Amino acid sequence: MFLDKKIYKSISYIFISRVVDVLLSFITLAIVARGLSIEEMGVFQQYQIFIIIIGFFYFNGLGGGVAQSVARGFLGTFFVARKLSFQLSLIASFIALALFYFYDDYIYIVISLLFPFAYGLNLWAKYYEGLNNIKLVAIGSNVISFLLLSLISLLYYLDIMEIGLLVASYLLSKALVNLYFYFHIKKITKIEVEKSSIKYGIKISFLAYYNVVANNIDKFIIMAFLEPIDLAIYVMADKFPEASKSIIQGISVPLMSQFSKLDGLSKSLRNKIQVLDIILIILILLGTILLPFLIDFAFGKKYIDS
């Protein structure tokens, strides 16, 4: 019963955090949409998709293995996985650097420099999930969203909404929080490493990348065959379903690290999760009804007309 209450509390933290993240990202996107033309927004999204493509090289599947391994007491798995993730993310940096020489586009230099720090050091969240400190994970996620909103707001205020600076802001907001936790989490001298979790994480990374490609194949096709303006319109329309999916997926976060301790979910915990599901359904319905107004208010009439 105590474990049920603890898990539900963790789920509530993540649920609230994801809702806050969605609200902050909506405001951020609205500012970006107001500061860029539709065509510029499409170009900006092309760089975002490029980052998704090279995202394979930090092997995000390592996170699942780290969370469960840390939950079993193998804290050293985190430090080994973090080092490996950062080293592998350097491959993505070299790819971006090669594209800089090929296209002579300084934005690829920005991606090359910041990508390892924005993605190669992000396993801290899985470390704390394994320790069941979901509250800190939730706060960290909100801090990233708030930092991004602050940076974008500053660019908008200074009237320097350049695509390169926007890409840098998105990566820098993640990198700063990752670096904080890199120095905050103290290195353990005597560590036990669960090597099977590292191997498991590497295998899952390949499978997870198929999922990433499947979820973004529509954007890849639009980017390859249509104009940036078409990509911008599609991405903006897709933001609301993506936000809903993010909140739903968040419910599973506290459960992942606890699977090794749970035989199953109690009836009480299932009922409480269903209450959160009902709240989410109500929010989705309200968002759907208000969608045209929200797009017009936040992004401007140009997207409604398009």
Side-chain angles (χ1 to χ4, degrees):
M1 182 63 70
F2 173 75
L3 188 58
D4 276 2
K5 289 182 178 179
K6 196 171 183 180
I7 291 174
Y8 180 70
K9 191 175 182 180
S10 297
I11 290 174
S12 300
Y13 280 137
I14 288 295
F15 183 85
I16 294 170
S17 173
R18 291 293 174 92
V19 171
V20 171
D21 279 341
V22 167
L23 291 174
L24 291 176
S25 63
F26 179 81
I27 297 170
T28 301
L29 189 61
I31 295 173
V32 174
R34 293 283 182 173
L36 298 178
S37 66
I38 299 182
E39 185 171 1
E40 288 173 331
M41 175 64 84
V43 174
F44 172 60
Q45 292 300 329
Q46 287 179 339
Y47 289 109
Q48 296 282 67
I49 291 173
F50 171 71
I51 291 172
I52 291 174
I53 294 172
I54 63 173
F56 167 76
F57 292 103
Y58 75 95
F59 279 56
N60 67 334
L62 288 168
V66 166
Q68 294 190 40
S69 185
V70 170
R72 288 190 287 265
F74 295 93
L75 302 185
T77 305
F78 161 72
F79 296 100
V80 174
R82 182 178 66 179
K83 182 179 180 180
L84 178 61
S85 180
F86 184 80
Q87 290 172 339
L88 291 171
S89 70
L90 294 175
I91 299 174
S93 286
F94 286 124
I95 293 173
L97 189 61
L99 289 179
F100 164 70
Y101 284 109
F102 188 78
Y103 290 110
D104 194 24
D105 185 345
Y106 83 95
I107 297 178
Y108 288 113
I109 287 287
V110 172
I111 296 173
S112 177
L113 292 174
L114 293 177
F115 183 88
F117 301 99
Y119 290 94
L121 295 177
N122 68 352
L123 285 178
W124 61 266
K126 297 301 180 180
Y127 175 78
Y128 285 114
E129 282 178 24
L131 295 176
N132 203 32
N133 192 345
I134 303 299
K135 182 178 181 179
L136 188 58
V137 176
I139 292 173
S141 178
N142 289 157
V143 169
I144 291 174
S145 298
F146 181 76
L147 275 175
L148 177 58
L149 175 58
S150 300
L151 290 171
I152 298 299
S153 298
L154 180 62
L155 294 179
Y156 187 82
Y157 176 76
L158 296 176
D159 196 22
I160 47 173
M161 296 287 284
E162 296 180 3
I163 294 174
L165 293 176
L166 292 174
V167 172
S169 297
Y170 271 80
L171 293 173
L172 189 61
S173 58
K174 296 177 183 291
L176 289 174
V177 174
N178 289 347
L179 286 170
Y180 168 79
F181 283 106
Y182 177 83
F183 293 106
H184 180 73
I185 300 174
K186 295 180 180 179
K187 182 79 174 182
I188 300 172
T189 52
K190 293 182 179 180
I191 58 175
E192 291 186 88
V193 179
E194 194 176 36
K195 293 182 179 179
S196 60
S197 291
I198 302 292
K199 294 178 181 178
Y200 166 79
I202 292 174
K203 292 178 182 178
I204 290 298
S205 294
F206 284 96
L207 297 176
Y209 193 66
Y210 288 121
N211 187 46
V212 170
V213 172
N215 286 335
N216 292 277
I217 189 67
D218 45 1
K219 301 182 185 71
F220 297 156
I221 294 173
I222 292 174
M223 183 177 72
F225 296 103
L226 299 177
E227 297 296 323
I229 189 171
D230 300 301
L231 177 62
I233 295 168
Y234 180 82
V235 168
M236 297 298 273
D238 192 47
K239 285 297 179 182
F240 294 93
E242 284 292 324
S244 302
K245 184 170 68 175
S246 172
I247 297 174
I248 295 171
Q249 290 174 338
I251 294 177
S252 66
V253 170
L255 297 176
M256 287 297 293
S257 61
Q258 299 299 319
F259 278 153
S260 58
K261 303 176 184 178
L262 288 172
D263 295 325
L265 298 181
S266 69
K267 183 177 180 180
S268 174
L269 182 57
R270 288 199 300 269
N271 290 337
K272 290 177 180 177
I273 293 176
Q274 286 174 356
V275 171
L276 291 178
D277 290 338
I278 292 172
I279 293 173
L280 179 59
I281 290 172
I282 293 173
L283 290 175
I284 292 174
L285 288 174
L286 285 174
T288 303
I289 295 171
L290 297 174
L291 186 58
F293 170 77
L294 290 173
I295 293 178
D296 187 22
F297 176 76
F299 306 141
K301 198 172 185 297
K302 55 189 178 183
Y303 285 96
I304 291 290
D305 294 339
S306 299

